[in-house]
Amino acid sequence: MNSRPFSIMTIATTAFLLAATPLLSAAEKPRNVVVILADDMANTMGCVGTPALETPALDQLSREGTMFTRAFSAASVCAPSRAALLTGMYPHSNGLWQNTQDGGIEFPHASEKPAKPVRVRAAILEDIPTLNELLREHGYFTAISQKGHIQPAWKFPFDRGFDYHNKPEEYRRLAGEVKAAADGKPFFILANISAPHRPYKVHFGANGMPHEGPQKINRSDIQLPSWLPDTPVVRDDFAQYLEATELTDQCVAAVLEGLKESGAAGETLVIFTSDNGMPYHRAKGAGYIASLHMPLIIDGPGVRAGQVVSAPVSLVDLAPTILASAGIPAPPTMQGRSLWPLLDGSQSSFPDRATILAPNSEHGLSRAVTDGNLYYIRNYEKPRGTIERPPLNSDVGNGKGWGNRAYDETIAAEGTAAREILLDFIEGRIPDEELFSIEDDPGCMKNLLPDPAYAAKLAELRKAESEWAKITDDRTSRKELEEKFPKPFGKLKKDSEGKE
């Protein structure tokens, strides 16, 4: 493995970003931490006004805590997003810059490094401290549910793994079981929920519903993203996404109820978010607003109730926030910063951090920066494919078994803007630069770049993108990233035919 890819300038800059936030005192810090992480859930909730969607648990959590309306993931697919959250670092800095093999949840066994690790597609550098390691070193009991999908697993050690996926009755037991196993120690739970990741029928079937879902949502009441064609099939598919999201909300409710039943609710920091955008093209696996704009609600001791924060923040900010809660200094590798000045209401924004980076390296290579109002994208390498073999994750393209009907419907929607914008993406015809309004055009359908009214702001965002590249030691081509982070752990195992 490479040594840590940080220059002295990068470490100094990162340390400056972290230095502004003091640690919480013993009297005010939460004892425990629970991160509830949905899988492929966009910023779609009742409390943000998503039509036809009911999320009573998340709505209540937003009233009792602080909701961030401009939170962005560090990656548009699972593994790099989760690794970024647990390292406080961007994927192109920590080494896990693209999707990789699922690490599983066979803990504590998986916390031990094997003598001969199997080669994987990407993994974080071994000399980078992770949130898990730091918490365990300071006496925390750590637990995870549903899936790991982070490599190498031993760098993200958990004391116990729970094979809970999408059933509220299982999540209701989680906090009590962890508290009992912790035996007096403070605990950290990464409560992963598999919904609303495709296939939706798996979540519905696991809860005794028909595979097509509860059919509770009136298909005529939903509001489709602007990049999807308005057809009955797409409406039904998207309604199932919303119904799977309602199941996610029920699992959130169960986790919170379990915390209360265990007696730990009043001393626990609760964080709800998701890893990346919804399972549709132009969302998951891409670099647009729908790919990286995440829900984020935080509640617990010291958090101001009913507060809505519109300042741009990143999921790389969660690790230093959690460490501050635990009274643990954040290492200089972390590129995020503690959100506590925003959580306690002492600040409404970070004046010295006006923008947030929103990178994508999965299909094509793009870097976006946003000030919370405008969203600027620089497309360094553009995806290219065909309708039959699109440059998309299989679950958001035409992959079999995922139940995605929206891709084929969009391809068949002749004469629509939804079809044309998808074909432009597939065939690599996207512009080198794009600029969109988050409030007015969250679907990223109208590129504002040519409009002279945005010239001054465009110049600011271009400069910010360049500065983020320096701060995070970025690379702007896949070849450079592959050279910076060669495949870890030696050769891949060969199959029975001798193929890698």
Side-chain angles (χ1 to χ4, degrees):
M1 291 291 293
N2 300 24
S3 60
R4 185 179 301 128
F6 274 85
S7 65
I8 294 175
M9 180 278 296
T10 301
I11 293 178
T13 306
T14 304
F16 168 76
L17 290 176
L18 288 163
T21 305
L23 301 177
L24 299 187
S25 69
E28 62 186 345
K29 70 181 182 182
R31 174 174 167 80
N32 314 301
V33 179
V34 176
V35 175
I36 307 173
L37 189 63
D39 205 338
D40 290 6
M41 178 179 157
N43 190 36
T44 44
M45 301 182 289
C47 50
V48 297
T50 304
L53 179 64
E54 295 181 3
T55 54
L58 291 171
D59 297 354
Q60 181 175 345
L61 191 66
S62 72
R63 291 191 296 270
E64 295 176 350
T66 290
M67 179 170 68
F68 293 82
T69 61
R70 292 294 186 266
F72 294 86
S73 177
S76 63
V77 287
C78 179
S81 170
R82 291 165 188 255
L85 189 157
L86 292 172
T87 60
M89 298 175 67
Y90 287 99
H92 55 267
S93 296
N94 67 27
L96 212 165
W97 61 277
Q98 59 183 334
N99 225 355
T100 192
Q101 289 85 342
D102 189 350
I105 57 166
E106 294 78 24
F107 294 100
H109 171 72
S111 298
E112 300 296 326
K113 182 178 179 179
K116 293 184 178 180
V118 175
R119 183 184 179 190
V120 293
R121 189 175 182 225
I124 71 152
L125 302 177
E126 291 200 65
D127 56 350
I128 289 173
T130 66
L131 178 64
N132 308 54
E133 291 174 324
L134 293 166
L135 290 174
R136 291 182 89 203
E137 287 172 7
H138 287 80
Y140 273 72
F141 183 89
T142 56
I144 185 174
S145 70
Q146 196 257 320
K147 74 175 179 181
H149 216 320
I150 37 184
Q151 290 286 357
W154 61 86
K155 284 292 294 177
F156 302 93
F158 291 93
D159 294 300
R160 187 166 173 187
F162 293 83
D163 194 20
Y164 298 166
H165 286 259
N166 47 28
K167 296 181 180 179
E169 64 265 26
E170 293 180 339
Y171 285 98
R172 189 170 288 108
R173 301 197 302 264
L174 183 61
E177 290 175 328
V178 172
K179 184 180 178 182
D183 194 24
K185 291 182 178 180
F187 58 77
F188 167 71
I189 305 175
L190 181 57
N192 295 307
I193 299 171
S194 59
H197 193 294
R198 291 181 186 273
Y200 306 141
K201 66 180 182 181
V202 169
H203 311 307
F204 299 144
N207 286 276
M209 304 174 194
H211 281 181
E212 63 271 17
Q215 300 290 301
K216 172 189 160 205
I217 292 177
N218 189 326
R219 274 47 181 165
S220 64
D221 291 342
I222 66 175
Q223 181 178 320
L224 291 172
S226 54
W227 35 266
L228 287 177
D230 193 348
T231 72
V233 170
V234 172
R235 280 189 169 271
D236 185 60
D237 190 86
F238 194 77
Q240 288 187 25
Y241 161 76
L242 295 178
E243 289 171 340
T245 300
E246 292 188 343
L247 178 58
T248 301
D249 184 76
Q250 293 167 29
C251 291
V252 171
V255 172
L256 299 177
E257 289 164 9
L259 272 173
K260 291 178 182 177
E261 292 167 3
S262 73
E267 54 183 13
T268 300
L269 184 71
V270 176
I271 300 173
F272 173 79
T273 189
S274 178
D275 55 356
N276 51 253
M278 65 180 77
Y280 293 89
H281 62 268
R282 207 166 178 82
K284 180 179 180 179
Y288 293 100
I289 295 170
S291 313
L292 295 154
H293 185 199
M294 295 291 98
L296 179 60
I297 306 173
I298 302 179
D299 186 27
V303 177
R304 187 173 180 180
Q307 181 179 220
V308 177
V309 175
S310 59
V313 299
S314 171
L315 298 193
V316 300
D317 295 328
L318 296 184
T321 302
I322 292 167
L323 291 177
S325 303
I328 303 171
T333 51
M334 287 193 173
Q335 296 160 323
R337 67 192 306 169
S338 172
L339 297 176
W340 274 103
L342 308 182
L343 291 173
D344 64 17
S346 58
Q347 293 180 206
S348 60
S349 65
F350 295 124
D352 60 336
R353 194 182 74 174
T355 64
I356 278 296
L357 176 66
N360 176 57
S361 302
E362 194 63 22
H363 299 291
L365 193 150
S366 64
R367 299 290 182 258
V369 291
T370 177
D371 61 0
N373 297 310
L374 293 175
Y375 190 90
Y376 167 75
I377 306 174
R378 178 75 169 90
N379 293 305
Y380 286 100
E381 292 188 351
K382 304 170 187 180
R384 285 181 175 82
T386 64
I387 290 174
E388 294 75 22
R389 301 189 68 178
L392 298 165
N393 277 32
S394 60
D395 57 339
V396 301
N398 54 359
K400 305 302 179 185
W402 294 106
N404 186 341
R405 295 170 288 161
Y407 176 81
D408 287 341
E409 279 287 297
T410 306
I411 293 297
E414 297 279 354
T416 64
R419 182 179 191 270
E420 291 308 309
I421 208 163
L422 173 57
L423 291 179
D424 285 344
F425 181 85
I426 290 172
E427 296 169 9
R429 295 196 301 264
I430 57 177
D432 293 338
E433 296 177 287
E434 299 173 275
L435 182 68
F436 302 102
S437 166
I438 294 177
E439 188 68 32
D440 299 332
D441 185 21
C444 298
M445 300 294 284
K446 181 181 180 182
N447 188 358
L448 300 173
L449 200 87
D451 190 334
Y454 296 94
K457 181 55 70 172
L458 175 61
E460 290 178 15
L461 294 175
R462 280 172 171 160
K463 181 181 178 182
E465 193 268 334
S466 177
E467 290 173 347
W468 275 109
K470 293 177 183 177
I471 291 171
T472 61
D473 193 30
D474 201 359
R475 300 292 187 274
T476 55
S477 77
R478 187 165 296 272
K479 180 180 178 181
E480 289 175 319
L481 284 167
E482 289 173 345
E483 290 172 348
K484 180 179 178 181
F485 304 115
K487 293 289 191 298
F489 316 129
K491 293 183 178 180
L492 287 167
K493 285 184 176 179
K494 293 185 178 181
D495 61 22
S496 58
E497 298 180 352
K499 298 177 180 177
E500 289 190 343

